[in-house]
Every structure is written in C-alpha cells, then in structure tokens.
Amino acid sequence: MPSSATMPGSTRLPRGFFTRDSVTVARALLGQRLVRIHQGERLAGTIVEVEAYRGVDDAAAHSHRGRRTPRNEAMYLLGGHAYVYFIYGIHHCFNIVAGGVDEPVAVLIRALEPVEGLAAMRTHRGITSATAASDRRLCSGPGKLCEALVIDREMNAADLIAGDVLFIEQAIQRPLPDDRIVAGPRVGVDYAGEWAEKPLRFFVRDNPHVSRA
DNA sequence: CCCGTGATTTAT
DNA sequence: TAAATCACGGGG
C-alpha cells in the first residue's frame, strides 16, 4: 500500500538524472514535478522555469572561483541534493545540485505550475482568493514557491533521491522539445558581467506560471 | 520606480 | 568588529 509520499504510477527521478551538467539537468527538469510532503500532505507543482549555474567559471554562481563557505557547502554534494539559502532578509531559494561530488553546479527552481495542495499553498502564501489569476502568482518566483511549499534552510543538503519530504517525480518521459523551451538571461545577476547575459534561464513557452515573460 | 530585511561574506 | 552585498517580492 502506497505511503503518502508515493502516488500509484509515479516514479521518482533517479540519481543519474541529476549527475549531469547543469544546463542538461535544467532543461530536463522542465515539465517534471516537484513534490513536498508537509504535514502528511502532498504539495506539488510542475517545474516551468529554471536557471543553470555553472560553477567555478560562472561569475553569477555562489561557487565562483571555487568559493566554499558554510552557506554554499551543499553545492559541493553529489547531484540530486538540495541547496537552499536565505536571501534579502526574507526569502528562500531552492536549488537542485547537479554534477558530481566537489563539482559545485546547481539549478535554481524559479517557478512551478501548482497541481496538488493548492489550498495549503494559498494559506502559506497568505492569499485568500482562489481565482485562476491569483493561482498564477502562487509559485511564480523562487521565493514564492519556497513559501508555498514550506521549503527553508531545514531542507538544505537534503537528498532528493533518498529523502521522504522533498523529491522530483517523473511527469514526462522525455525532455520537452527545444521549440517548447525559451532561453534567456538569468534574473537578478546584473553584477556578473558577461555571465549575466548568457542564456542560462529556461522556461516553458507560453506557460502563464513563469515569473515573468 | 523604490525599498524592507537579516544572514552571510568581505573588508578593515 | 564594521560595512557591504544580495539567484526577491510587493507596493506605488
């Protein structure tokens, strides 16, 4: 009999999915389902927007030039772990580590299309209305989705393959075709010189749940 | 457009 | 020990 963490017919993405380069993992994550088990309930959404961070060469990455501090230590774990940090005094950001051990690359999850547990998500976000328009804003940003799914620093370094509270389920069998993915510059990294302009942000074309068009 | 917010990092 | 910085979001 299935536990609350496992739906009939669902498959969790395996380790090998994540131990690839961060751009490949980022694109392959679009269309897959992020699941958070909170107080026995499934809070889940389809991943519709991501950003790849490319490690020591990437001026926008926390691991730029091999920086390794208590905050970003989780980036150095094996692919398939969580890297969660606190930013701007208010928000959390959830990343999925890619690559191998000591290869500090990651994918920032920027937006979800909510599919399960919407009532709880609205409560967590302090949103009372349940219109299509307001549900579009439920998880349309890295800080918003962390608030909706109750992802905070307790989740930092969590193993998304072995853990029971946070994981990725396979919702589609193959990566979305290129013509359904839009690539562009990453958000909020203007300080990173030429790296700020590289097309390392990816989102599902015409999906209304992305953080911005 | 502007600005709160506080942990983390970096500079003295 | 102090200052600067910041993978954001909400309100004009």
Side-chain angles (χ1 to χ4, degrees):
Chain A
M1 129 150 174
S3 75
S4 61
T6 309
M7 291 277 282
S10 71
T11 307
R12 196 182 297 206
L13 291 179
R15 182 73 66 191
F17 180 94
F18 301 99
T19 55
R20 299 179 287 172
D21 77 89
S22 60
V23 170
T24 301
V25 174
R27 298 180 72 108
L29 279 168
L30 293 175
Q32 307 295 0
R33 186 166 53 240
L34 173 63
V35 182
R36 164 82 163 107
I37 308 297
H38 179 253
Q39 296 179 345
E41 181 185 10
R42 286 172 57 96
L43 310 177
T46 305
I47 298 171
V48 297
E49 180 182 347
V50 295
E51 283 175 359
Y53 286 82
R54 307 220 55 182
V56 298
D57 294 332
D58 182 353
H62 292 170
S63 53
H64 181 47
R65 294 158 62 173
R67 222 165 88 231
R68 185 167 186 161
T69 65
R71 179 179 69 158
N72 75 350
E73 184 65 34
M75 289 189 83
Y76 289 79
L77 296 171
L78 179 62
H81 290 260
Y83 169 40
V84 182
Y85 62 90
F86 188 61
I87 190 69
Y88 293 116
I90 309 182
H91 305 293
H92 296 272
C93 287
F94 169 56
N95 299 252
I96 298 177
V97 178
V101 172
D102 287 342
E103 184 189 352
V105 298
V107 177
L108 172 67
I109 307 302
R110 284 196 58 89
L112 305 176
E113 176 168 344
V115 294
E116 296 175 57
L118 273 72
M121 292 187 199
R122 290 183 201 109
T123 302
H124 300 150
R125 295 266 293 111
I127 291 172
T128 50
S129 66
T131 64
S134 83
D135 284 348
R136 256 176 253 141
R137 271 161 250 147
L138 214 46
C139 299
S140 61
K144 294 180 191 176
L145 72 91
C146 283
E147 188 170 43
L149 272 60
V150 197
I151 295 172
D152 58 25
R153 278 167 296 181
E154 284 187 24
M155 302 280 133
N156 188 44
D159 185 351
L160 305 179
I161 285 80
D164 278 332
V165 296
L166 191 61
F167 46 89
I168 315 291
E169 283 177 352
Q170 184 167 35
I172 56 177
Q173 302 301 312
R174 307 214 164 274
L176 290 181
D178 289 353
D179 64 2
R180 293 201 49 204
I181 300 176
V182 181
R186 293 172 293 184
V187 175
V189 296
D190 293 345
Y191 58 87
E194 63 175 18
W195 280 90
E197 296 163 32
K198 293 185 184 286
L200 294 173
R201 172 180 180 233
F202 306 100
F203 59 91
V204 178
R205 186 181 297 281
D206 297 327
N207 187 286
H209 299 270
V210 300
S211 64
R212 57 188 170 116

